[in-house]
Amino acid sequence: MTDLALPRGATQVGLAVDVAAFAMHAGELHVLLVQRGELPHARDWALPGGFVHPGEELHEAALRELRTETSVELEPRHLEQFFTFGEINRDPRGRIVSVAHLAVLPHGTVSVSGGGHTLGAEWMPAHRTPRLAFDHQAILDRALGRLQLRLEYANLALEFLPDTFTLPELQGVYEAILNRKLDKRNFRKRLLAQGSLTPSGERRSGVGRPAQLYRRAKGTRTPAL
């Protein structure tokens, strides 16, 4: 029988997950943060996360921590692992490796509240966060880079929108994630040429001419990696 005991001198390593959960609010990309209620970093803001339970899959742990610490009950429209953070001194409690997850929450997800050992939970502008605990700023920065990369080869921007949307609303998601303005004419030309959108046959009334509504074309779901 194979000896499963740790060899002499081997390092005890804790396994954790952290979740960078995003949504659009008032035309700006927001990330969900919690205020820690325990040491280390008590009262500091952080990404939702915690230790993986025995027999628990990583994505299950990510969803559990997201629900427990923020009271979000809705299923993310997108959830993926995107990087593993294992620097030796990233956590003062010992050697802890965190598998970071990126989540996109459904359009209209606004109400959150702290739970578990947190003092509170809030949506904050993703490009303008307060000082974060541990190495969570590095995790957030990499998550933002992942979002920007996914705009180039997937349809992740569509996960931030309701089922039907206008092209200006879609452009607003791109600009919020990239944190810069885009040329309207070139954006529309490129997006419509990709074949990932189809007219819904409806228009939204408002100021001026009613805007054409679009929806995701069939067969263009965002792949989860």
Side-chain angles (χ1 to χ4, degrees):
M1 182 176 178
T2 303
D3 185 2
L4 298 180
L6 288 173
R8 185 182 300 275
T11 302
Q12 293 280 358
V13 178
L15 181 61
V17 291
D18 288 300
V19 185
F22 297 97
M24 290 290 295
H25 296 293
E28 187 172 12
L29 181 69
H30 281 63
V31 64
L32 186 51
L33 299 178
V34 296
Q35 189 174 32
R36 288 179 55 80
E38 296 182 332
L39 293 172
H41 297 286
R43 307 194 70 83
D44 284 348
W45 291 96
L47 297 171
F51 291 102
V52 179
H53 292 174
E56 188 176 39
E57 298 289 349
L58 292 174
H59 74 278
E60 293 173 344
L63 290 173
R64 173 179 52 76
E65 288 293 338
L66 187 61
R67 292 166 181 153
T68 300
E69 294 192 346
T70 70
S71 301
V72 169
E73 295 297 334
L74 297 174
E75 287 289 325
R77 296 190 67 177
H78 179 81
L79 178 70
E80 65 171 274
Q81 298 176 25
F82 69 92
F83 200 75
T84 299
F85 291 81
E87 289 79 3
I88 294 174
N89 297 317
R90 64 176 302 272
D91 193 312
R93 293 169 293 185
R95 186 70 187 274
I96 298 174
V97 174
S98 177
V99 181
H101 288 66
L102 183 155
V104 177
L105 294 181
H107 176 78
T109 304
V110 177
S111 178
V112 294
S113 60
H117 299 295
T118 67
L119 300 177
E122 289 187 24
W123 287 105
M124 296 190 184
H127 296 286
R128 296 182 286 109
T129 57
R131 182 175 64 88
L132 300 181
F134 305 108
D135 57 351
H136 287 195
Q137 186 61 56
I139 296 176
L140 176 58
D141 289 344
R142 188 171 284 271
L144 289 169
R146 179 68 172 173
L147 272 181
Q148 293 166 358
L149 179 64
R150 296 284 262 152
L151 290 179
E152 298 301 321
Y153 71 92
N155 301 300
L156 192 57
L158 302 182
E159 305 295 353
F160 287 88
L161 295 167
D163 291 338
T164 59
F165 48 85
T166 65
L167 290 181
E169 288 171 340
L170 179 56
Q171 182 172 340
V173 173
Y174 272 75
E175 291 177 340
I177 292 174
L178 295 172
N179 201 28
R180 61 182 174 87
K181 292 294 185 180
L182 300 173
D183 180 79
K184 178 179 177 179
R185 185 186 300 271
N186 290 339
F187 175 82
R188 294 190 174 200
K189 181 178 179 180
R190 180 168 62 87
L191 260 292
L192 293 176
Q194 290 177 355
S196 60
L197 306 179
T198 184
S200 70
E202 302 173 345
R203 290 182 177 272
R204 180 180 299 158
S205 299
V207 178
R209 183 179 179 182
Q212 170 70 60
L213 291 174
Y214 290 83
R215 67 173 72 250
R216 183 198 302 268
K218 292 183 179 180
T220 59
R221 297 300 302 177
T222 303
L225 301 182

